[in-house]
Amino acid sequence: MNLSSLRWFLQRLTSVLLTFFLIVHFIIYFFHLPRPITFAAIVQHIQSSIFWLIFYMLLLMIVLSHSLNGLYQIIEDYRPSSQLRLIITWFLWIFGLITFAWGLQILLTYQVW
Amino acid sequence: MNSIRKLIGPKIEFIRNLNVGRIVRPLHRLTGLVLLGCLCLHLMALGSNILFGEGTFNALMTKLESRRIKFLGFCLLLMVGFHIINGLRITILDFRQFTRGRKRIFWIGIAILVIILAIVLIMTLSYLAK
């Protein structure tokens, strides 16, 4: 399996996973959390079970992988040079890791509050 | 005459070969880009308590309850719905013509998917039963 087909496979896998994760996320957001949403309500929700921490960590990982992989595929359609492709790949990796770290920081803030 | 043909030729060709994929493909990409932007905004809003404190976060959440923002939220939901449905359509079309390699990948994917979905389903049910 080369890198291109691995990327194709990951995009398909994450799309199906994301569908399910997003449905659960929307159910929680629209039907479970009180209106207006407060900091305390989110803390209570995240701390109610360790599974929610894992759930949101997985959601963050999947959504970042899907969106940045999709962005790379859009850019690749414009046939950038190999040098530019390398720069874009590095940029997307760094952006993804920083965003994941930021999301993790948010989740852990809610978890340990 | 040739220059006119060159100019409108691709447009005529596009209209002649118009199909669902041709209309939906740019829309799928556009919604994907918009959703990536929204994800960044979502993470920034959720992280506002870290940067500015709990009070700012609560005030921001109250502002998000306005009708205008709710309408934008509804548009966002429509975009998510469109992106999901079209994404699933693409996935199904991709797997319709199995080659030997793709078939193996497909079943590995299904196995991973079933395991993760079972875990998430148990989590959700146990939480909602409380």
Side-chain angles (χ1 to χ4, degrees):
Chain A
M1 193 193 287
N2 61 21
L3 199 65
S4 175
S5 54
L6 180 71
R7 211 178 284 135
W8 169 85
F9 174 61
L10 270 179
Q11 194 68 355
R12 298 296 171 269
L13 181 70
T14 51
S15 70
V16 180
L17 284 173
L18 208 51
T19 304
F20 193 80
F21 274 73
L22 274 182
I23 290 169
V24 175
H25 182 55
F26 285 145
I27 289 171
I28 295 297
Y29 179 78
F30 287 108
F31 301 112
H32 179 71
L33 293 174
R35 288 291 182 278
I37 294 171
T38 58
F39 180 76
I42 298 182
V43 169
Q44 196 186 5
H45 167 60
I46 299 281
Q47 287 185 354
S48 64
S49 167
I50 188 74
F51 287 116
W52 286 115
L53 185 71
I54 299 165
F55 174 87
Y56 285 112
M57 269 165 66
L58 278 174
L59 176 60
L60 184 65
M61 212 153 42
I62 293 167
V63 80
L64 278 174
S65 154
H66 186 80
S67 54
L68 296 180
N69 198 7
L71 185 60
Y72 182 81
Q73 280 177 14
I74 293 174
I75 295 167
E76 211 178 32
D77 271 5
Y78 292 95
R79 301 190 185 284
S81 64
S82 58
Q83 200 179 358
L84 186 61
R85 200 174 291 185
L86 193 71
I87 294 168
I88 290 163
T89 308
W90 271 103
F91 172 77
L92 291 179
W93 266 104
I94 292 166
F95 177 78
L97 287 174
I98 290 172
T99 314
F100 183 70
W102 174 242
L104 208 62
Q105 165 82 14
I106 295 167
L107 274 174
L108 291 176
T109 309
Y110 290 126
Q111 180 66 20
V112 297
W113 196 261
Chain B
M1 192 66 182
N2 267 346
S3 57
I4 294 170
R5 199 172 288 167
K6 264 186 190 171
L7 190 73
I8 61 167
K11 291 186 180 78
I12 291 172
E13 189 265 341
F14 180 82
I15 294 165
R16 270 187 189 161
N17 296 319
L18 207 59
N19 55 42
V20 180
R22 276 202 153 186
I23 303 165
V24 161
R25 192 180 141 99
L27 277 177
H28 188 78
R29 298 195 151 194
L30 185 68
T31 50
L33 288 173
V34 173
L35 292 176
L36 177 59
C38 289
L39 172 71
C40 293
L41 283 177
H42 187 50
L43 286 175
M44 272 156 62
L46 281 175
S48 62
N49 72 303
I50 298 172
L51 296 173
F52 307 109
E54 192 183 326
T56 312
F57 178 85
N58 288 342
L60 184 67
M61 289 298 133
T62 310
K63 271 186 188 168
L64 291 181
E65 290 298 311
S66 74
R67 271 193 188 168
R68 203 174 289 172
I69 301 288
K70 272 185 179 169
F71 176 72
L72 287 176
F74 177 71
C75 293
L76 186 71
L77 263 184
L78 282 182
M79 269 195 280
V80 171
F82 168 79
H83 198 82
I84 286 175
I85 290 166
N86 190 51
L88 290 176
R89 185 188 73 90
I90 293 168
T91 306
I92 291 164
L93 283 178
D94 270 2
F95 282 112
R96 202 174 57 177
Q97 291 173 328
F98 294 128
T99 61
R100 199 174 283 178
R102 277 194 179 183
K103 205 170 186 177
R104 199 176 60 211
I105 292 168
F106 176 72
W107 288 115
I108 293 168
I110 289 289
I112 296 167
L113 194 68
V114 167
I115 293 165
I116 294 175
L117 292 190
I119 293 167
V120 174
L121 197 68
I122 290 165
M123 270 169 53
T124 311
L125 290 176
S126 65
Y127 181 78
L128 293 176
K130 277 182 190 173

